[in-house]
Amino acid sequence: MAEKIYVYDTTLRDGSQGEGISLSVEDKLKIAARLDRLGVDYIEGGWPWANPKDMEFFQRAGELGWRRAKLAAFGRTRKPGGKAGEDANLLAIKRAGVKVATIFGKSWDLHVTAALETTLEENLAMIADSIAFLVEAGLEVIFDAEHFFDGFKANPAYALATLKAAAAAGASWVVLCDTNGGCLPGDVAAAVARVRQELQVPLGIHTHNDGDLAVANTLAAVTAGCRQVQGTINGFGERCGNANLCSVLPNLELKMGYQCLPPGQLSFLTEVSRYVSEIANVVPPGNQPFVGYSAFAHKGGIHVSAVLKASQTYEHIRPQLVGNERRILMSDQAGASNLRCKAEEMGLELSPEKEQAVINGIKEMERQGYQFEGADASLELFLRKTTGEYRQPFEVEYVKTLVEKRPGQEAIAEAIVKLKVGDQVVHTAAEGNGPVNAMDNALRKALEEVFPAIGRMRLTDYKVRVLDEKDATSARVRVLIESRDGTSSWNTVGVSTNIIEASWEALLDSMEYALLKQSRELNKKVAAT
Ligand SMILES: CC(=O)SCCNC(=O)CCNC(=O)[C@H](O)C(C)(C)COP(=O)(O)OP(=O)(O)OC[C@H]1O[C@@H](n2cnc3c(N)ncnc32)[C@H](O)[C@@H]1OP(=O)(O)O
Ligand SMILES: CC(=O)C(=O)O
């Protein structure tokens, strides 16, 4: 049986110390509930004395039907010269109604003298008194030894003395912190090994990512004997963040053979990572290991060819193990394998003669500035058009736009569209708050009656990228449009030196794809009956 490593999540506390993260009480409750379902052992909910939001979170945490995780309230040691029993921060932890208290205390002598401005002896007493007070109150106490590794380098005897004071006062765990995040894995491992010789109490590790080594340092500490890992989802946290549990957990389980989450739960990691990003309103980095959108995205033709034959050629794990999926991208880096795979996803068969022509076509269009990896809908239309079996639902005769701006008045935009649907000619005009909006409105007006699906779709994102900046206002631009209906979203691309033309191209693709999608759904329904 695999050895257990306890997972301590501090997304709600240290994660909230990350710049740009501001979680409401509702947000915190939702994240706590999802982490509990994931199966972490501890959830640090916040510092109840530090702000009213965190205290409210603890007051409302009982609303959640907790399954597994223990909720921990965070706090500091008592103030120098004070009494633990009168310390508002320790009393707030008692009031938070939790079973676990996590107390941080100084273990670097510099912090004692420079930050706390007290004596080394008084700091030991602060640690001991605070922990004893909470243990006496019936709480499981975790001691976070702040700056332990820097302290151990500067004054090993004193750093060890702080841990011993915590253990003697009844701490259930002593957690060694790389608070400044600048340590190296070898130093972390050596320090943990030394602590293990001195202390019987179970050890944990809490690292920050200032040297981009938080995950490596956490793994090194576990190898050296730590049995609790502290970290955050997506590595949120103060400065460069905390150890990213989305990397720590799969490495521990899949590479090192430990058990962290209940069996099978690792496969929810990608979902949890994206859920937390969504709630925190943070765009997740695509290249995040294990759980990122691009973590198993293959672009180079050589890679795709091999990975389809044997996945381990370019995948270090099976993406499903962490709930992620393989994606094959089409671009000017692609070969026949990428194309076949994409065509198969779209239910298309391309003859071998067509394959090379399509690849060459895509490479030429990418040279002109198109980017198909972010515009699957335009890619599908392009592929279908090259098979020769595709029938366009409508034909555009022309589009005209007009923008009028008079001093002191708002600009007016108007678009006129003439198109053919079968034998019928539709000629229509519409206004908009800009030329692209006017074209969108005119196109909808022209098509909606014949194709009600157009009425159900809307544009959700519109991005313009200047491709040759040096050409200033005559530069070529790439327009990417995201559209959505009730069931899914799709992306289209247009390129031109004229921003209106690039937008029109992406807009047309977007509507044409909506109709293609609708006819595909209808065909599926018919086939099912
Ligand atoms: C390593 C970590 O991440 S620890 C967690 C850090 N998190 C945060 O700081 C977020 C929440 N913090 C806050 O809301 C505020 O800083 C509070 C409420 C905690 C304190 O606010 P204030 O009382 O106004 O103090 P301020 O923030 O200016 O300074 C912190 C004080 O705590 C003291 N302190 C720092 N660590 C400890 C400790 N382990 N034990 C006791 N006191 C400590 C400092 O010496 C300083 O004392 P001083 O005011 O006598 O100089
Ligand atoms: C306790 C903590 O957050 C740290 O030392 O980084």
Side-chain angles (χ1 to χ4, degrees):
M1 182 120 153
E3 196 178 346
K4 166 79 182 156
I5 301 294
Y6 289 81
V7 181
Y8 185 106
D9 182 282
T10 176
T11 307
L12 302 180
R13 196 277 299 173
D14 221 342
S16 296
Q17 288 176 220
E19 187 170 7
I21 307 284
S22 175
L23 301 172
S24 66
V25 175
E26 289 297 333
D27 294 338
K28 292 180 79 149
L29 289 167
K30 283 185 196 155
I31 292 174
R34 190 65 196 89
L35 289 170
D36 183 38
R37 270 195 291 139
L38 180 68
V40 304
D41 299 287
Y42 295 92
I43 295 173
E44 192 171 80
W47 186 345
W49 173 71
N51 63 73
K53 190 161 74 179
D54 282 7
M55 186 49 114
E56 188 185 335
F57 166 80
F58 285 106
Q59 283 159 352
R60 292 186 51 196
E63 292 169 13
L64 307 178
W66 293 87
R67 293 185 189 181
R68 173 194 174 88
K70 294 185 196 171
L71 185 60
F74 186 75
R76 55 156 174 73
T77 48
R78 69 159 170 79
K79 292 291 266 181
K83 287 199 170 74
E86 294 169 4
D87 187 286
N89 131 87
L90 298 176
L91 292 170
I93 294 177
K94 270 180 80 174
R95 274 207 319 282
V98 290
K99 295 201 172 65
V100 182
T102 301
I103 294 296
F104 75 96
K106 309 293 186 193
S107 52
W108 185 359
D109 57 2
L110 168 78
H111 263 269
V112 178
T113 51
L116 287 181
E117 299 175 282
T118 189
T119 64
L120 299 186
E121 294 70 29
E122 173 62 359
N123 179 51
L124 295 178
M126 287 159 63
I127 295 169
D129 290 355
S130 308
I131 293 175
F133 171 73
L134 294 166
V135 170
E136 179 78 6
L139 296 173
E140 173 185 342
V141 179
I142 296 175
F143 177 62
D144 276 3
E146 201 195 344
H147 293 102
F148 171 75
F149 295 99
D150 294 318
F152 185 70
K153 234 183 222 170
N155 185 343
Y158 185 71
L160 288 169
T162 64
L163 307 186
K164 287 178 182 167
S172 300
W173 290 92
V174 164
V175 177
L176 310 177
C177 302
D178 178 20
T179 308
N180 287 3
C183 290
L184 298 172
D187 295 338
V188 168
V192 172
R194 176 70 201 286
V195 174
R196 281 190 75 199
Q197 291 167 358
E198 304 275 341
L199 240 69
Q200 298 305 312
V201 67
L203 300 180
I205 179 77
H206 174 118
T207 59
H208 279 264
N209 204 31
D210 302 66
D212 209 6
L213 289 168
V215 172
N217 284 337
T218 301
L219 302 183
V222 170
T223 302
C226 287
R227 288 297 170 263
Q228 179 189 121
V229 288
Q230 295 199 349
T232 60
I233 298 296
N234 299 330
F236 294 164
E238 187 92 36
R239 301 183 309 276
C240 308
N242 284 60
N244 184 354
L245 288 178
C246 296
S247 297
V248 168
L249 302 184
N251 274 309
L252 287 174
E253 288 207 1
L254 304 174
K255 308 281 174 80
M256 295 165 72
Y258 293 106
Q259 189 229 319
C260 301
L261 299 173
Q265 289 301 97
L266 198 64
S267 65
F268 293 99
L269 201 60
T270 300
E271 184 207 311
V272 170
S273 158
R274 292 178 191 172
Y275 181 76
V276 171
S277 289
E278 187 65 35
I279 291 191
N281 199 18
V282 168
V283 179
N287 63 352
Q288 206 182 329
F290 295 99
V291 296
Y293 193 56
S294 306
F296 301 94
H298 303 286
K299 185 162 170 177
I302 303 290
H303 295 220
V304 174
S305 159
V307 92
L308 294 175
K309 294 173 188 164
S311 66
Q312 66 273 32
T313 52
Y314 285 98
E315 285 176 354
H316 70 127
I317 59 158
R318 285 193 297 116
Q320 296 79 0
L321 291 171
V322 288
N324 208 339
E325 60 180 5
R326 176 186 301 160
R327 292 169 51 243
I328 303 294
L329 308 178
M330 196 63 208
S331 71
D332 59 359
Q333 303 292 319
S337 304
N338 304 56
L339 180 61
R340 273 179 223 139
C341 202
K342 285 313 269 189
E344 201 181 307
E345 272 173 33
M346 294 165 185
L348 286 172
E349 254 184 67
L350 293 173
S351 63
E353 310 82 67
K354 286 243 165 85
E355 267 180 16
Q356 200 50 51
V358 170
I359 291 170
N360 292 345
I362 286 172
K363 291 193 177 197
E364 173 52 25
M365 286 175 80
E366 292 234 338
R367 190 186 67 77
Q368 291 167 21
Y370 287 82
Q371 190 186 19
F372 284 106
E373 67 180 53
D376 259 9
S378 289
L379 176 68
E380 179 162 352
L381 288 168
F382 177 77
L383 294 189
R384 284 189 186 274
K385 285 172 188 169
T386 49
T387 60
E389 288 158 24
Y390 180 72
R391 287 229 325 270
Q392 262 178 264
F394 58 88
E395 273 173 56
V396 177
E397 289 201 4
Y398 64 76
V399 57
K400 285 184 192 167
T401 58
L402 184 85
V403 178
E404 188 180 311
K405 171 75 186 158
R406 290 171 192 250
Q409 290 180 15
E410 274 191 20
I412 312 167
E414 193 181 72
I416 302 163
V417 171
K418 188 171 177 193
L419 47 81
K420 266 172 88 179
V421 185
D423 295 336
Q424 206 186 332
V425 175
V426 190
H427 196 179
T428 182
E431 288 183 346
N433 58 15
V436 179
N437 182 232
M439 290 191 304
D440 184 20
N441 292 341
L443 208 45
R444 281 170 189 276
K445 211 165 150 190
L447 294 172
E448 233 175 282
E449 202 172 307
V450 192
F451 303 115
I454 298 293
R456 289 191 289 276
M457 65 167 276
R458 61 195 171 88
L459 307 192
T460 47
D461 200 2
Y462 172 84
K463 286 193 198 107
V464 182
R465 161 105 201 264
V466 175
L467 297 172
D468 337 277
E469 284 164 34
K470 63 176 175 12
D471 293 337
T473 50
S474 69
R476 207 157 13 157
V477 295
R478 179 195 299 137
V479 169
L480 286 167
I481 288 183
E482 186 191 72
S483 309
R484 192 175 277 279
D485 61 12
T487 53
S488 58
S489 67
W490 58 95
N491 296 285
T492 52
V493 61
V495 172
S496 172
T497 47
N498 180 327
I499 191 168
I500 304 291
E501 188 182 19
S503 305
W504 174 248
E505 194 182 359
L507 205 53
L508 271 185
D509 268 10
S510 159
M511 301 219 178
E512 210 173 320
Y513 186 80
L515 301 180
L516 172 70
K517 193 169 151 313
Q518 189 205 23
S519 75
R520 204 166 31 209
E521 281 158 10
L522 277 176
N523 289 345
K524 257 196 208 155
K525 268 194 197 150
V526 171
T529 51

